Amino acid sequence: MAPLNEEQLHQIRDDRREQIMRAALKVFARRGIIGTKMSMIAAEAGISHGLLYHYFSSKEELFTTLIEDAMKGAEEATSGVYDLPGTPLEKIRALSMEMLDESGTPYFMLIHHARTSDGVPEKVKELIARHDMHAFIARLLPVFREAQQAGEIVEGSLEELISSYLSVLSGLMVLNAQGIEGYRLPDVDMLLRLIARSRP
């Protein structure tokens, strides 16, 4: 059998790193940084404890890498709202659907732990501070302003409106992640009634 070339080795390393990060996301989302051990992540990934350390030197490094990815994804999603088709309210609806997608639940829990847990690395605290509610409001302000000017959403302070809406979405995702029996995420159109202007 021919030896693997550099490109194939690189691909194997990338795939293994992705496998580790997916496993770490699951464990951190469930247990937070304090309750997680590297051995738990290795077990979830189906690899040896020793091999894990070839890719990440500590759980803190892994946690920080995942938070960086989560923040980048959140930034891209909120900035990408302007490229979506439709009216301003339809853009907000599409963004809301993306935010409430079940696949994003572990990331919401990860960020929730990063905001509320002890033992969070300093770099993560800085990342969270840079991507606070004010940063998200600033990115969404133009599309909400357009929606308000078009008479699609209610009057009033846009900053307060966006802050309230994002808080509701975040709270729903955190609740959803708890796995409470009988709980399910509400329909996006039901949520939009919080901000949408009722038609005469």
Side-chain angles (χ1 to χ4, degrees), residues 27-71:
V27 180
F28 282 131
R30 279 199 308 267
R31 307 183 67 94
I33 190 163
I34 296 283
T36 296
K37 294 185 172 75
M38 286 291 264
S39 56
M40 295 172 181
I41 295 168
E44 180 72 40
I47 62 170
S48 73
H49 201 168
L51 182 58
L52 179 53
Y53 282 99
H54 279 291
Y55 290 86
F56 295 95
S57 62
S58 65
K59 69 176 182 180
E60 287 76 17
E61 185 194 348
L62 239 173
F63 190 80
T64 303
T65 303
L66 283 167
I67 289 291
E68 284 171 339
D69 276 10
M71 290 304 175

Side-chain angles (χ1 to χ4, degrees), residues 73-82 84-85 88-101 108 136 139-140 143-144 162 165-166 169 188 192:
E75 193 173 324
E76 284 171 358
T78 47
S79 300
V81 71
Y82 300 99
L84 298 171
L89 187 59
E90 284 166 351
K91 290 176 196 242
I92 294 166
R93 183 183 188 278
L95 175 66
S96 307
M97 285 185 75
E98 188 177 340
M99 287 174 72
L100 289 174
D101 190 287
F108 265 91
F136 284 104
R139 280 200 294 274
L140 291 174
V143 73
F144 271 75
I162 299 167
Y165 193 60
L166 290 175
L169 289 177
V188 168
L192 284 176

Side-chain angles (χ1 to χ4, degrees), residues 13-184:
R13 281 195 294 271
D14 284 352
D15 291 348
R16 181 53 53 85
R17 188 180 161 86
E18 276 298 311
Q19 177 188 350
I20 290 166
M21 286 176 65
R22 277 196 306 272
L25 176 61
K26 278 188 190 173
V27 180
F28 282 131
R30 279 199 308 267
R31 307 183 67 94
I33 190 163
I34 296 283
T36 296
K37 294 185 172 75
M38 286 291 264
S39 56
M40 295 172 181
I41 295 168
E44 180 72 40
I47 62 170
S48 73
H49 201 168
L51 182 58
L52 179 53
Y53 282 99
H54 279 291
Y55 290 86
F56 295 95
S57 62
S58 65
K59 69 176 182 180
E60 287 76 17
E61 185 194 348
L62 239 173
F63 190 80
T64 303
T65 303
L66 283 167
I67 289 291
E68 284 171 339
D69 276 10
M71 290 304 175
K72 188 178 171 201
E75 193 173 324
E76 284 171 358
T78 47
S79 300
V81 71
Y82 300 99
D83 300 324
L84 298 171
T87 67
L89 187 59
E90 284 166 351
K91 290 176 196 242
I92 294 166
R93 183 183 188 278
L95 175 66
S96 307
M97 285 185 75
E98 188 177 340
M99 287 174 72
L100 289 174
D101 190 287
E102 300 265 354
S103 65
T105 303
Y107 282 105
F108 265 91
M109 283 312 296
L110 185 78
I111 294 167
H112 180 65
H113 287 306
R115 289 189 198 283
T116 59
S117 301
D118 294 329
V120 172
E122 209 51 49
K123 188 173 180 187
V124 169
K125 289 179 184 173
E126 289 166 15
L127 278 166
I128 293 292
R130 266 208 318 271
H131 294 84
D132 64 359
M133 182 68 89
H134 297 295
F136 284 104
I137 289 171
R139 280 200 294 274
L140 291 174
L141 204 53
V143 73
F144 271 75
R145 185 178 290 118
E146 278 180 46
Q148 201 175 60
Q149 286 169 350
E152 293 184 320
I153 64 172
V154 294
E155 295 297 319
S157 162
L158 284 169
E159 284 85 354
E160 281 183 31
L161 195 62
I162 299 167
S163 173
S164 300
Y165 193 60
L166 290 175
S167 296
V168 169
L169 289 177
S170 299
L172 288 169
M173 287 303 283
V174 170
L175 268 176
N176 190 51
Q178 309 294 324
I180 301 163
E181 193 178 338
Y183 176 82
R184 66 183 186 86

